[in-house]
Amino acid sequence: SDAHPAVRRHAIRISENVSSPTPRLNAALLQRLSDADASVRFQLALSLGRWDDPRAGEMLGRLAVAGFDDPWLRAAVLSSATRFAGEILKAVLAAVPDSTARSDFIGQLIATAAGSSDRALLGRALSSVAPTGGQQPELWRFQAITSLLDAIARHGVPLDSLADASNADQRGALNRLQQMF
C-alpha cells in the first residue's frame, strides 16, 4: 500500500513467488483492483495468471470489464486467461454490450479458450454466445460466434462436439446456432 505506484507494482510482482500466500497478502493484492495507477492494475492482471486461488478468474474479469478501453490491460488479462477463461468470459458477457472493445475482447478470449482445448469451456462459451430463442441476434453475438467458429476450426474441433450430450443448455445453444445458419 506504498504511496509510490512503482513500489506497489514491484510488490505485486514479488508476490508471485510466495509459495503459500496468506489471507492478508491476498486481501492486499485484491485491493489493487481499483488502484489509481494503470501500471499497478496491469501488473496485477499479469500476476493473477499465476494464482492458484479460484478468485483470480473473477478478479481478472473485473479488471477486463473496467479496462475495455485500455489495450494494454486487455492484453495483460488475456495473457493470464488460459486457466480462467470461463470466469473472465462470464464477467465480460455480463458487462454493457454496446462496446466495440468488449466485442473485440470476447473474440480474443474465445480464441484463448479454444487454445486450451478444454471442450467443456468451449461448450460453455457456445452457450453464452449463441442467440437466444426468438430474438434477432445482436452484432456482438455474430462477432463472438465468428470468433468461436474460427478458433475451433483452427484447432480441428467439430462444432457438434461442443454440445455435451448431458447438457441441455449446450444442446439448445447448438440447435439455436444451427437455426441461425
Side-chain angles (χ1 to χ4, degrees), residues 76-122:
V77 170
L78 283 171
S79 76
S80 294
T82 305
R83 291 177 28 220
F84 307 108
E87 293 88 352
I88 299 168
L89 184 61
K90 182 178 176 181
V92 171
L93 290 173
V96 177
D98 58 357
S99 164
T100 302
R102 175 184 177 264
S103 296
D104 292 344
F105 187 78
I106 289 170
Q108 294 164 341
L109 191 56
I110 287 173
T112 300
S116 74
S117 301
D118 181 346
R119 298 232 176 160
L121 173 59
L122 291 173

